[in-house]
Amino acid sequence: MNSFVRTNPRRCIGCRTCLISCVVAHLGKGFFDLEPDSYNFTPRLFMVKTTSVTAPIHCRNCENPACKAACVPNAISMADGRVIVDPKRCIGCKSCVSACPFGAIELVETGQLQFDGTPSRVALKCDLCSGVADSPSCVKVCLTDALELVTEDDLQAELVDKRRTAVMSSLTP
Amino acid sequence: MTVRQTQTTCCYCGAGCQLLFTTDDEANKILDVHPVRGRTNDDKACLKGWYGWDFLNDPQILTKRLRAPMIRRGGKGAPLETVSWKEAIDFVAKNLLKVRDKWGPDSIMGAASARGPGNEPNYLMQKFMRACVGTNNIDHCARICHAASVAGSRQTIGEGAMSLSIPEIEDAEVIFNIGYNAAASHPVVARRIVKASEKGAFIICADPRITETARISNLHLPLKGGTNLALTNSMANVIISEGLEDKSFIQEHTKDYEAYREIVLDYPPEKVGPICGLDPADIRTAARRYASSKHSVILWGMGVTQFSQGVEVVKSLCSLAMLTGNFGRPSTGTGPVRGQNNVQGTCDMGVLPDVYPGYQAVTDPQIRAKFAKAWNVPSLPSEVGLQLTRVPERVVHEKDPAKKIHAYYIFGEDPAQSDPDLAELREALAAIDFVVVQDIFFNKTAMFADAILPATSWGEHEGVYTSSDRGFQRIRKVLEPVGDIKDDSDIICLISTAMGYPMKYKNSEEIWNEMIALSPKFTGATYEKIERQGSVQWPCYDPDPSDKGTMYLHKGGQFATADGRGIFKTSHYHPPTEVENEQFPLTLCTVREVGHYSARTMTGNCRALRNLEDEPGWVEMSPADCKAIGVATGDLVRVTSKRGSVITRCLETGRVRPGAVYMTYQWWVGACNELTISSLDPTSRTPEYKYCAAKVEKIADQAWAENEVVKIYADIKSAMGIAREVESR
């Protein structure tokens, strides 16, 4: 089963350290040497604030991903417990953007130009920092521990716990 | 590559987080920064801690580092010319002496820095102003933030600082959070509030907006802006009329209760409800809950102090805590959480017009004699000096030239961005005969400077900061300074020496030792002890290792007043100075952007923080107010008050009340201080940033407005001396 990052909105204070960490992790160690206007700042998670809720939205790494099903050029695949986009195959058709029920995938400018001189845009989503950091960077920097990486084992352990609690409460008059 | 690790204290906000830097010494380059365990932060940091050091790389996004001294050789209007340190110091000394000889020492004003420099240069700055120049005209930006907390707390409980420590917040049983948005101003303190909530604390949040604290609170009191005093008096009214006060604490540890009681009896919730726009039942609940525990904590910020009744509300809050016996134990008391990294320290160092280091009054002849002897001068000025918010009054409005301010030495501040009513402030800066700016960045104030003295930054020098909860912590040199720049302490010593009062110190520790020897409350906090413990909270009287400092104040109900008794005080409520009217139907309040800091010279020059939020900033508006003028999130709008007009971007949100709009104060294009009023609290002289009348207008031609913002931003950068071409988007 795929892993995913879960948010506890009671803990989130909306500071967006997670958004920055995402970009810095993906642009790499050289981030602080880049010419300030030379790169695109494109976090793969999105802060949402309503009157009652504050929380970032991440990709859930669905087991039956709507984005993958909708993807025309087969640029989206499942590997290594994640749903991943191959930017080389992506044609920017936006089918995945329309299909995702969470709004967790969007089209961003790559910073490169196509043959006709127009900016190239591809789908971008959370990759759980695969290949760029040991654990999701957003989880690492969250100062209120509002974010956590949930693996299959974590989810199983939670289920066992919940069932035990349910049994106990049903046996207690 | 020589890799070195250095632990230091973060340069943003009063939380005092510990950061570990990894540097390549040969390349003089930062390789990695991450938070490590400290007394206040555990091992956490916010976005500014993680990514806010990038300005040390001088990426020249908003402005640029100063690398050599500059003066206007030809006088006002002449260009700034790069000169040698010798010429710059002589020029400053000669001109300050000229002003002093002609107009006297009180015609010179000094503003010091609550930011990068740290405690040692601030100690020297006030010593320089008092012993060398001969005036108590020395102040700093506490005046525009927590001066009201210092004044109000000292008048009631005797000590102008947080009575409790940041870590204690999470074990409070009740938190009364008023006018304080921790999530934006101190995320690391917000973390303690979140933890307190999870541990079962009852959280009362009095704030006109739905802040993050309001969102997780058990009771949100969305009071109308500017009505704090009516609310706090009313809570006291409920506590007294329902017999919930702590009678034995009042009797044993306080005085002037009767006069206080008489005032608050005038504020029953039924009368106050309509003033604050609150349900009287909610005021009762808040009061009962607050009085229900001996571990009730009050936290406040600029939403209390930046009003013309700021000091009165602070006194009223300290009185509420005394009324319920909420002092002198762990996880109880009062928490004015300080905004800047070293604003507590700059107060501690006596960079205030009325006190020497360690809060010793300049009006006390014995204290004066002690400092005069230590500083080797025949006498020191006995009159309380001028507050920095009164500089415009003493330049623009004062008619008698003998009473005007003729020279202004500004060290690590940017009043031309941070002070209220900027048009008036600029008029004042332009009219002052001689302005010295000592800073790390070229800034808006530097444009008015006759001499610019470039200093080393946080990360380039050693020293001590004081965190918001009275904790002395070391800052350490991470990088070697680049360019013809000097440590702030060295610059002050050179000027002083050139003016005939020699000062010279080997290092920051020698300065610190002189300071603690003169300040009984700090005497025990030696460098060695700070190194060993990581943090020493004052008061710490004895250098002996057994005196570890003081976690919380007023133990056993012993207050820091002359007779040890707390003094009950409050006043009658009156509305803010400038209320909404037909021409300006909205109230404007200034607030914080979490990723930016102060005048934004530092965070505006950090890649990631600038990417997250950039010019022209936002004005938060209720959906009803947006609908009324036909604007939506993202639209550029014009905000206007009696004093000025700026363009900013609309942010539609149900988190604010109709009729009230909020602008973050860090922006230079959407500069809200062009609009704010310079109405001051009569005691603390803190401006009423949180309330003035304004209007918001739709801009029909959005394309024009977008271009205008780009143009203004480009003009600012070019005025700051950044050569890079700014692309028009």
Side-chain angles (χ1 to χ4, degrees):
Chain A
M1 209 175 75
N2 296 339
S3 303
F4 65 105
V5 175
R6 187 164 64 186
T7 306
N8 178 348
R10 292 281 307 172
R11 287 183 177 175
C12 179
I13 59 167
C15 68
R16 294 170 292 164
T17 311
C18 50
L19 268 67
I20 298 181
S21 77
C22 176
V23 176
V24 172
H26 286 89
L27 288 178
K29 277 270 180 204
F31 177 82
F32 297 101
D33 295 324
L34 293 172
E35 180 62 28
D37 292 316
S38 71
Y39 58 91
N40 290 332
F41 186 82
T42 49
R44 295 160 187 241
L45 66 169
F46 311 92
M47 185 58 68
V48 180
K49 294 186 186 186
T50 71
T51 50
S52 55
V53 178
T54 299
I57 284 287
H58 280 86
C59 169
R60 306 291 293 195
N61 286 295
C62 305
E63 299 301 313
N64 310 298
C67 58
K68 178 172 175 286
C71 183
V72 179
N74 288 324
I76 300 180
S77 60
M78 300 246 271
D80 196 20
R82 299 170 170 91
V83 177
I84 50 176
V85 180
D86 180 355
K88 290 195 193 73
R89 296 183 77 117
C90 177
I91 58 169
C93 72
K94 298 169 280 285
S95 302
C96 56
V97 179
S98 305
C100 174
F102 299 100
I105 186 164
E106 72 170 355
L107 241 56
V108 300
E109 287 189 14
T110 59
Q112 276 143 18
L113 298 178
Q114 306 182 85
F115 291 124
D116 64 357
T118 56
S120 143
R121 291 191 180 87
V122 296
L124 193 75
K125 64 175 282 297
C126 170
D127 58 2
L128 298 174
C129 285
S130 169
V132 300
D134 296 338
S135 70
S137 302
C138 54
V139 174
K140 187 177 101 179
V141 300
C142 180
L143 85 160
T144 54
D145 297 315
L147 303 179
E148 59 176 338
L149 177 68
V150 183
T151 62
E152 181 170 12
D153 288 349
D154 296 331
L155 212 54
Q156 277 307 319
E158 269 178 34
L159 286 174
V160 169
D161 252 16
K162 279 190 213 168
R163 286 169 192 146
R164 188 175 291 137
T165 309
V167 166
M168 295 296 282
S169 58
S170 68
L171 289 177
T172 314
Chain B
M1 186 156 68
T2 319
V3 176
R4 183 169 56 101
Q5 289 201 316
T6 314
Q7 185 176 326
T8 193
T9 306
C10 179
C11 63
Y12 299 107
C13 110
C17 300
Q18 294 301 301
L19 303 175
L20 186 69
F21 280 74
T22 307
T23 46
D24 172 354
D25 272 1
E26 275 158 47
N28 200 30
K29 187 176 160 54
I30 295 164
L31 303 174
D32 180 64
V33 181
H34 64 264
V36 288
R37 188 161 291 275
R39 182 178 59 79
T40 57
N41 69 308
D42 285 346
D43 56 353
K44 306 290 186 186
C46 75
L47 62 171
K48 295 191 290 298
W50 278 98
Y51 309 110
W53 49 271
D54 191 18
F55 71 90
L56 291 171
N57 294 324
D58 197 18
Q60 306 195 1
I61 299 168
L62 174 64
T63 173
K64 66 175 181 184
R65 281 295 294 277
L66 296 164
R67 300 292 189 196
M70 289 185 281
I71 62 169
R72 292 187 204 277
R73 274 199 187 109
K76 293 263 177 221
L80 282 165
E81 294 172 67
T82 299
V83 295
S84 70
W85 271 102
K86 179 161 187 336
E87 185 176 351
I89 296 291
D90 287 348
F91 182 75
V92 170
K94 190 186 79 195
N95 278 285
L96 290 179
L97 284 173
K98 198 164 95 184
V99 169
R100 191 179 65 177
D101 290 346
K102 187 165 181 195
W103 303 107
D106 289 337
S107 67
I108 301 177
M109 179 74 199
S113 180
R115 295 164 64 188
N119 283 326
E120 293 84 348
N122 278 291
Y123 168 78
L124 291 187
M125 182 69 179
Q126 60 86 38
K127 179 179 174 181
F128 165 73
M129 289 302 292
R130 289 178 164 130
C132 175
V133 176
T135 178
N136 282 314
N137 287 350
I138 175 71
D139 204 2
H140 73 288
C141 69
R143 190 63 50 206
I144 57 174
C145 63
H146 263 302
S149 301
V150 177
S153 300
R154 291 184 69 211
Q155 286 176 40
T156 48
I157 55 176
E159 207 74 270
M162 283 181 74
S163 83
L164 78 162
S165 308
I166 290 166
E168 290 174 58
I169 295 169
E170 70 173 79
D171 292 312
E173 289 174 349
V174 178
I175 294 176
F176 176 37
N177 181 99
I178 175 166
Y180 178 44
N181 183 9
S185 46
H186 311 93
V188 164
V189 178
R191 170 176 173 267
R192 300 287 180 174
I193 299 173
V194 168
K195 286 177 92 89
S197 170
E198 291 194 341
K199 288 182 174 183
F202 189 90
I203 296 178
I204 305 157
C205 181
D207 200 302
R209 290 191 299 167
I210 301 175
T211 58
E212 297 306 330
T213 308
R215 197 174 63 77
I216 63 162
S217 68
N218 304 78
L219 177 63
H220 179 208
L221 303 174
L223 80 175
K224 181 171 163 44
T227 63
N228 289 332
L229 193 55
L231 172 67
T232 54
N233 279 346
S234 190
M235 285 172 65
N237 176 293
V238 173
I239 291 168
I240 293 170
S241 59
E242 297 190 4
L244 305 173
E245 75 275 27
D246 186 333
K247 295 183 186 66
S248 67
F249 190 90
I250 295 167
Q251 184 156 23
E252 284 161 35
H253 303 296
T254 70
K255 61 184 184 190
D256 295 357
Y257 172 67
E258 281 307 318
Y260 169 77
R261 182 174 173 273
E262 208 160 292
I263 293 176
V264 301
L265 285 185
D266 226 13
Y267 292 83
E270 290 64 31
K271 180 175 155 188
V272 168
I275 298 173
C276 298
L278 295 173
D279 182 347
D282 286 344
I283 301 176
R284 282 190 190 281
T285 308
R288 287 172 190 157
R289 281 291 187 158
Y290 177 71
S292 73
S293 169
K294 294 297 176 201
H295 294 285
S296 289
V297 166
I298 307 178
L299 299 176
W300 74 83
M302 300 297 96
V304 160
T305 58
Q306 287 176 343
F307 281 107
S308 58
Q309 272 198 303
V311 173
E312 300 309 317
V313 180
V314 170
K315 289 183 201 166
S316 174
L317 290 169
C318 293
S319 297
L320 261 185
M322 287 190 279
L323 184 65
T324 52
N326 266 306
F327 274 119
R329 288 178 308 280
S331 297
T332 182
T334 48
V337 193
R338 307 300 294 255
Q340 295 185 322
N341 57 306
N342 197 39
V343 71
Q344 183 65 52
T346 312
C347 292
D348 295 349
M349 293 306 108
V351 181
L352 294 168
D354 59 338
V355 289
Y356 294 114
Y359 304 94
Q360 304 175 79
V362 298
T363 48
D364 181 330
Q366 278 183 319
I367 298 286
R368 236 174 18 246
K370 176 175 89 169
F371 278 92
K373 188 173 171 228
W375 293 346
N376 199 23
V377 286
S379 67
L380 285 166
S382 56
E383 300 264 305
V384 169
L386 190 71
Q387 299 90 349
L388 64 79
T389 43
R390 295 178 69 192
V391 168
E393 171 197 324
R394 292 283 285 273
V395 176
V396 179
H397 304 295
E398 177 60 58
K399 295 283 174 278
D400 180 358
K403 290 183 182 156
K404 281 181 185 264
I405 291 296
H406 291 277
Y408 198 177
Y409 180 178
I410 303 164
F411 151 42
E413 292 275 315
D414 190 5
Q417 166 69 10
S418 61
D419 284 16
D421 194 354
L422 289 178
E424 187 186 63
L425 198 275
R426 284 191 292 266
E427 192 186 338
L429 284 175
I432 295 172
D433 303 344
F434 189 64
V435 177
V436 183
V437 164
Q438 178 172 323
D439 212 294
I440 62 172
F441 281 107
F442 199 89
N443 60 25
K444 282 179 163 179
T445 308
M447 294 166 74
F448 295 89
D450 299 283
I452 296 179
L453 308 174
T456 53
S457 164
W458 165 82
E460 296 168 353
H461 53 231
E462 301 279 328
V464 174
Y465 287 170
T466 317
S467 66
S468 178
D469 58 356
R470 299 168 280 104
F472 294 129
Q473 303 188 115
R474 282 296 314 273
I475 52 161
R476 296 182 182 86
K477 190 171 176 175
V478 173
L479 292 176
E480 281 304 319
V482 175
D484 192 12
I485 68 178
K486 285 185 188 295
D487 186 289
D488 288 300
S489 296
D490 293 342
I491 300 172
I492 296 164
C493 287
L494 286 170
I495 295 173
S496 189
T497 305
M499 286 174 69
Y501 181 76
M503 289 205 272
K504 192 169 173 51
Y505 297 86
K506 284 199 302 285
N507 52 34
S508 62
E509 187 173 3
E510 191 183 358
I511 303 168
W512 183 258
N513 287 341
E514 177 179 314
M515 187 282 294
I516 58 175
L518 286 163
S519 314
K521 279 174 189 165
F522 313 147
T523 302
T526 60
Y527 260 45
E528 189 266 329
K529 194 182 286 185
I530 298 170
E531 291 282 356
R532 183 158 32 83
Q533 289 185 200
S535 177
V536 176
Q537 288 173 278
W538 65 259
C540 180
Y541 299 98
D542 194 337
D544 191 82
S546 62
D547 185 351
K548 294 188 163 27
T550 310
M551 188 170 94
Y552 56 86
L553 301 175
H554 318 307
K555 197 168 188 177
Q558 184 68 25
F559 289 98
T561 50
D563 60 2
R565 283 181 171 265
I567 308 161
F568 275 103
K569 278 190 173 147
T570 189
S571 299
H572 285 289
Y573 160 77
H574 67 71
T577 311
E578 182 182 272
V579 294
E580 48 277 40
N581 51 57
E582 208 163 287
Q583 197 189 354
F584 299 107
L586 303 170
T587 66
L588 167 69
C589 175
T590 67
V591 294
R592 269 293 299 271
E593 176 64 56
V594 63
H596 286 291
Y597 178 74
S598 199
R600 211 170 109 253
T601 42
M602 291 152 78
T603 53
N605 285 305
C606 293
R607 291 170 180 81
L609 299 178
R610 172 264 186 143
N611 289 142
L612 195 66
E613 288 295 346
D614 204 354
E615 300 282 3
W618 303 95
V619 56
E620 291 184 8
M621 298 171 66
S622 72
D625 289 330
C626 287
K627 199 173 162 204
I629 59 166
V631 295
T633 297
D635 289 357
L636 288 167
V637 292
R638 179 168 289 286
V639 191
T640 308
S641 80
K642 252 185 195 172
R643 292 155 295 278
S645 181
V646 297
I647 297 175
T648 188
R649 221 174 272 287
C650 167
L651 179 67
E652 183 177 343
T653 170
R655 292 188 177 201
V656 307
R657 293 162 67 116
V661 300
Y662 297 82
M663 288 174 78
T664 44
Y665 69 76
Q666 281 86 10
W667 307 110
W668 294 26
V669 177
C672 56
N673 284 329
E674 299 289 351
L675 315 175
T676 49
I677 187 169
S678 60
S679 166
L680 307 177
D681 179 288
T683 310
S684 71
R685 306 285 176 176
T686 304
E688 193 154 57
Y689 287 111
K690 297 291 187 197
Y691 208 101
C692 73
K695 65 177 175 183
V696 181
E697 294 163 300
K698 182 183 175 123
I699 302 175
D701 189 345
Q702 285 290 304
W704 169 84
E706 291 290 352
N707 268 325
E708 187 68 8
V709 168
V710 171
K711 188 175 154 292
I712 299 170
Y713 201 178
D715 288 349
I716 290 170
K717 292 182 189 202
S718 124
M720 292 301 118
I722 298 179
R724 189 193 304 127
E725 284 293 308
V726 181
E727 284 175 48
S728 178
R729 280 180 222 182

